[in-house]
Amino acid sequence: MIALALFAVFWLEDPNTQELSEGGLPPFSPGHPLGTDVLGRDLLNWCAHGIVTSLMISVTVTLLSAVVGVTIGTLSAYVGGWVDAVLMRIVDLQLAVPPILVFLAAAMVVPRNVVTMVLLLSSVAWVPFARLLRTHTLVERERGYIAAARLAGARKGNILISHLVPAAATPIVVFSSLEVGGVMLYEAGLSFLGLGLEPPTPSLGYMIAQGRDQLGSSWWIATVPGLFIVVLILAANLIGDGLRDRFHVDNGGH
């Protein structure tokens, strides 16, 4: 998938190029191995660029969410007291609001481009990271090496940065790899519903939405990008499962 994305970036033409005379061609047509949509856009070209969009958004959202979630979760657990109470109430408030409502409201007032999609998805994706790191830190802060660091006179900030966050590196990496697939699915679903990306930005979810009315006559328009989404998410989840098994990380992140 990454190789196909790089191929699209460096060698394929604009995926929005339309050839109305070649609209609705089936797979394995000359010059169009995966067929075309009703507007004559090449599906291989569109899906390859759609993979670029999905990877770019999912990786960026995961990185931003990890930074915010790790900071909030670790700080909440280690400092405790009113700081923990306030931060966890923010997390509870975030969990109480269904993400689809946030996206519906935002779709009415903000432009639907890559930047806004990254910010919107990040606004809900940081919460699992915060809960994971809070749980991990609550356990880790009671270990002997943390007590030794306190007795040695290390400041709280130094303990957080030098000990607690590095100790959570493996759970963070494993959970991030799993989160990438979830973000891909969210982005595709929002674009399918008309709440996400739209041309000229290529999106696999948008192409599925365009092909749902032609399933009887041109099934490949929706099926081909749908298969690419399945492969992308399956690949991300398999990588996450492999890392989890390799580093012996359970669902709780320990």
Side-chain angles (χ1 to χ4, degrees):
M1 292 297 100
I2 292 175
L4 183 57
L6 292 175
F7 178 70
V9 170
F10 292 107
W11 283 284
L12 295 181
E13 61 182 8
D14 182 3
N16 290 293
T17 301
Q18 300 179 8
E19 293 289 345
L20 297 180
S21 61
E22 298 183 349
L25 293 179
F28 306 110
S29 297
H32 303 285
L34 297 182
T36 63
D37 68 352
V38 292
L39 298 177
R41 292 175 292 197
D42 182 73
L43 284 183
L44 176 60
N45 192 359
W46 182 276
C47 290
H49 282 86
I51 292 172
V52 176
T53 304
S54 293
L55 290 173
M56 179 172 59
I57 290 178
S58 58
V59 172
T60 304
V61 168
T62 302
L63 290 175
L64 287 176
S65 302
V67 171
V68 175
V70 167
T71 302
I72 291 177
T74 307
L75 188 65
S76 173
Y78 187 68
V79 176
W82 66 269
V83 174
D84 183 33
V86 171
L87 292 178
M88 287 303 100
R89 295 300 77 75
I90 294 175
V91 169
D92 292 340
L93 180 62
Q94 183 75 55
L95 291 172
V97 180
I100 192 65
L101 295 182
V102 177
F103 299 134
L104 279 170
M108 305 300 175
V109 295
V110 298
R112 289 179 289 176
N113 53 38
V114 172
V115 174
T116 55
M117 281 295 296
V118 167
L119 294 177
L120 285 173
L121 290 170
S122 299
S123 69
V124 299
W126 66 269
V127 174
F129 284 98
R131 299 180 70 187
L132 171 67
L133 265 294
R134 181 177 182 272
T135 302
H136 185 276
T137 304
L138 286 174
V139 175
E140 204 70 19
R141 72 178 185 179
E142 304 300 328
R143 298 191 184 277
Y145 74 96
I146 299 297
R150 291 198 198 99
L151 291 174
R155 297 180 179 180
K156 288 185 175 181
N158 290 335
I159 293 176
L160 281 172
I161 296 173
S162 302
H163 298 288
L164 291 175
V165 173
T170 298
I172 292 171
V173 171
V174 173
F175 187 77
S176 296
S177 62
L178 294 170
E179 188 73 1
V180 167
V183 174
M184 286 181 185
L185 186 59
Y186 245 120
E187 182 275 318
L190 290 173
S191 298
F192 175 80
L193 295 173
L195 303 175
L197 300 173
E198 55 186 7
T201 306
S203 168
L204 297 174
Y206 171 83
M207 183 56 72
I208 295 176
Q210 293 299 106
R212 61 184 169 183
D213 294 331
Q214 286 84 36
L215 282 174
S217 57
S218 304
W219 54 267
W220 55 89
I221 299 176
T223 303
V224 169
L227 290 175
F228 274 106
I229 291 175
V230 170
V231 173
L232 274 173
I233 296 174
L234 180 62
N237 288 337
L238 288 176
I239 291 173
D241 288 341
L243 290 173
R244 183 175 58 192
D245 294 341
R246 172 65 178 82
F247 296 110
H248 308 291
V249 179
D250 63 24
N251 293 330
H254 307 308

